[in-house]
Amino acid sequence: MAIARPIRMLGLAAICLWVFFLYEVFGPAKPAPSSKIIDQEPLLDYTGEPEGAPLWRAEKGYGPGAEGTNRINATLLSLVRNEEVEGMVQAMRDLERTWNSKFNYPWTFFNDVPFTEEFKTRTQAETKAECKYELIPKEHWEVPSWIDEEVFQESAKILKEQDIQYASMKSYHQMCRWNSGLFYKHPALENTQYYWRVEPKVHFFCDVDYDVFRYMQDNNKTYGFTINLYDAPKSIPTLWPETVKFLAQHPEYLHDQNSMPWLVDTERRPDHNMKANGYSTCHFWSNFEIADMSFWRSQAYEDYFNHLDRAGGFFYERWGDAPVHSIALGLFEDSSKIHWFRDIGYQHIPYFNCPNSPKCKGCMTGRFTDGESWLMKEDCRPNWFKYVGTG
């Protein structure tokens, strides 16, 4: 039976709109405004404190315990093993010296086994702030029931042959899954909004004299980073295809002011984009992140994580929390709500964030790495600066 002409026209219009949507989302990246294109290392310029709303200082209201009337619901957060106590103490000592001794935000430590008395005693000795020691619920840490053990072992073997680091360590896969979509569901964080993630053995170099959590809140920021890298494409070959599937099901979650060009760039590392099936592999290095957990608790992120979790890539591949967090932020959040903490001097071997500031000691201004020269190409900050800016 012939279809009436108006119906045919409506159908054609619907098809055209869908093709236009796909082109807008996955088509060539739009040229960046010239003001966002960076010709030199921004950290070589003088680095001051961030602009925006007035910064909160530690003159009053930040004493330990009940004296901390100006502190907001935030915590320093670390997933750490008992045997990593030396590295944790060193990282705490750095961050307490440069920042937290002034603001006394609590520390919350997580482990999949109970913390030892030695760990508790030594870490509490490094701070006047409250320390909490939390056990991860088994249902949050165990391998989910839909993961096939034989497929995992075979996949891990293949990834190891491809020189993918930690591929054969089941605990590493569990850690990545927990950091991606479960840590903020722990009962201990139920009433906490902001966190600063701190890992063992990291270094902090610069005095920070303002409340970074208040900065995030007062300036409506969702996420803060220091280092921006490329990932190993062989560790995440189906992460972007699964993301594309999810977006096809939920186009309403894509933010109008997203960071898509950063996620799909093909110019600087075309081989990465090709091997990762459309993803540049650029990501915020999440061993440092200061973030608002409201984003992870949103319906968009909850649905996205559940989609990825069911796809199995946390175990059959080596999907890390860094690319998962970064893709979600790049798609579902306004890029202006993502902040580069250029003034926080930081190192996680082998990469640095070293500002040009008299408040910094112990790292070379503008240095990205002190490792082999080939590591320089792992820096994806130029793409972020190009497409989004240095704010």
Side-chain angles (χ1 to χ4, degrees), residues 282-336:
C282 286
H283 64 277
F284 308 118
W285 214 22
S286 59
N287 47 68
F288 175 107
E289 56 184 11
I290 301 174
D292 181 348
M293 285 186 276
S294 300
F295 180 81
W296 312 131
R297 291 163 175 157
S298 69
Q299 194 62 54
Y301 188 77
E302 180 71 10
D303 289 347
Y304 180 57
F305 172 74
N306 286 337
H307 177 92
L308 296 182
D309 201 21
R310 283 287 174 175
F314 289 110
F315 292 92
Y316 300 148
E317 296 177 11
R318 198 208 63 185
W319 295 355
D321 52 277
V324 170
H325 281 184
S326 301
I327 290 173
L329 288 158
L331 296 176
F332 311 141
E333 186 54 285
D334 184 332
S335 62
S336 69

Side-chain angles (χ1 to χ4, degrees), residues 43 50 105 125 150 159 165 194 224 244 250 267 277 288 366 381:
L43 289 175
Y105 274 95
E150 289 186 10
L159 289 169
Q165 196 174 22
Y194 296 94
V244 172
H250 294 284
E267 294 180 15
N277 295 299
F288 175 107
R381 292 174 310 146

Side-chain angles (χ1 to χ4, degrees), residues 50-68:
E51 298 177 351
L55 300 173
W56 288 69
R57 306 295 180 180
E59 286 92 354
K60 60 180 180 179
Y62 285 102
E67 298 177 41

Side-chain angles (χ1 to χ4, degrees), residues 42-340:
L43 289 175
L44 293 176
D45 298 330
Y46 173 78
T47 298
E49 294 177 331
E51 298 177 351
L55 300 173
W56 288 69
R57 306 295 180 180
E59 286 92 354
K60 60 180 180 179
Y62 285 102
E67 298 177 41
T69 54
N70 284 337
R71 279 193 295 274
I72 60 174
N73 55 340
T75 190
L76 299 164
L77 184 153
S78 185
L79 173 64
V80 57
R81 296 186 178 94
N82 288 308
E83 55 268 30
E84 294 176 302
V85 65
E86 293 290 346
M88 194 70 244
V89 163
Q90 173 260 296
M92 289 182 72
R93 197 166 288 170
D94 268 18
L95 191 53
E96 287 288 327
R97 172 179 51 81
T98 56
W99 184 72
N100 199 45
S101 61
K102 293 164 263 190
F103 296 95
N104 294 294
Y105 274 95
W107 288 84
T108 307
F109 300 98
F110 293 96
N111 199 343
D112 64 312
V113 299
F115 282 105
T116 63
E117 289 306 313
E118 179 194 6
F119 185 96
K120 294 177 183 179
T121 300
R122 293 191 60 189
T123 49
Q124 183 63 79
E126 296 300 323
T127 179
K128 301 187 301 291
E130 178 186 11
C131 290
K132 302 175 184 177
Y133 303 91
E134 303 293 341
L135 185 64
I136 298 171
K138 286 186 177 181
E139 62 271 22
H140 285 182
W141 191 259
E142 291 179 344
V143 178
S145 60
W146 56 86
I147 298 300
D148 186 302
E149 178 65 21
E150 289 186 10
V151 176
F152 166 70
Q153 293 296 341
E154 185 61 30
S155 300
K157 181 180 177 182
I158 293 170
L159 289 169
K160 188 175 182 180
E161 290 171 352
Q162 295 175 336
D163 294 324
I164 300 301
Q165 196 174 22
Y166 310 125
S168 60
M169 292 176 58
K170 185 178 289 185
S171 62
Y172 189 85
H173 295 261
Q174 291 169 295
M175 176 194 71
C176 289
R177 178 176 179 260
W178 186 80
N179 277 327
S180 293
L182 294 166
F183 78 93
Y184 51 88
K185 296 178 180 178
H186 195 286
L189 298 177
E190 184 177 5
N191 297 313
T192 304
Q193 183 174 354
Y194 296 94
Y195 69 97
W196 182 338
R197 179 168 159 183
V198 183
E199 293 198 352
K201 296 183 180 181
V202 300
H203 289 280
F204 296 92
F205 302 104
C206 307
D207 289 329
V208 179
D209 297 319
Y210 62 94
D211 184 339
V212 298
F213 295 124
R214 284 277 190 177
Y215 170 79
M216 295 286 287
Q217 177 179 263
D218 293 350
N219 292 276
N220 196 25
K221 299 294 185 182
T222 297
Y223 190 86
F225 72 96
T226 52
I227 296 170
N228 192 321
L229 299 174
Y230 287 92
D231 207 351
K234 289 182 180 179
S235 70
I236 49 172
T238 67
L239 177 55
W240 188 250
E242 285 296 336
T243 299
V244 172
K245 288 181 190 176
F246 177 78
L247 280 179
Q249 297 166 9
H250 294 284
E252 71 277 11
Y253 289 152
L254 188 66
H255 200 285
D256 291 341
Q257 303 300 319
N258 62 64
S259 312
M260 180 71 77
W262 172 67
L263 293 173
V264 299
D265 177 78
T266 59
E267 294 180 15
R268 294 193 76 238
R269 300 288 292 274
D271 57 322
H272 275 231
N273 185 291
M274 180 181 67
K275 292 174 183 176
N277 295 299
Y279 171 36
S280 67
T281 76
C282 286
H283 64 277
F284 308 118
W285 214 22
S286 59
N287 47 68
F288 175 107
E289 56 184 11
I290 301 174
D292 181 348
M293 285 186 276
S294 300
F295 180 81
W296 312 131
R297 291 163 175 157
S298 69
Q299 194 62 54
Y301 188 77
E302 180 71 10
D303 289 347
Y304 180 57
F305 172 74
N306 286 337
H307 177 92
L308 296 182
D309 201 21
R310 283 287 174 175
F314 289 110
F315 292 92
Y316 300 148
E317 296 177 11
R318 198 208 63 185
W319 295 355
D321 52 277
V324 170
H325 281 184
S326 301
I327 290 173
L329 288 158
L331 296 176
F332 311 141
E333 186 54 285
D334 184 332
S335 62
S336 69
K337 293 186 177 183
I338 300 172
H339 178 68
W340 177 36

Side-chain angles (χ1 to χ4, degrees), residues 25-41:
V25 173
F26 303 111
K30 297 178 177 64
S34 58
S35 62
K36 290 183 179 180
I37 297 176
I38 307 301
D39 295 324
Q40 66 173 13
E41 170 58 67

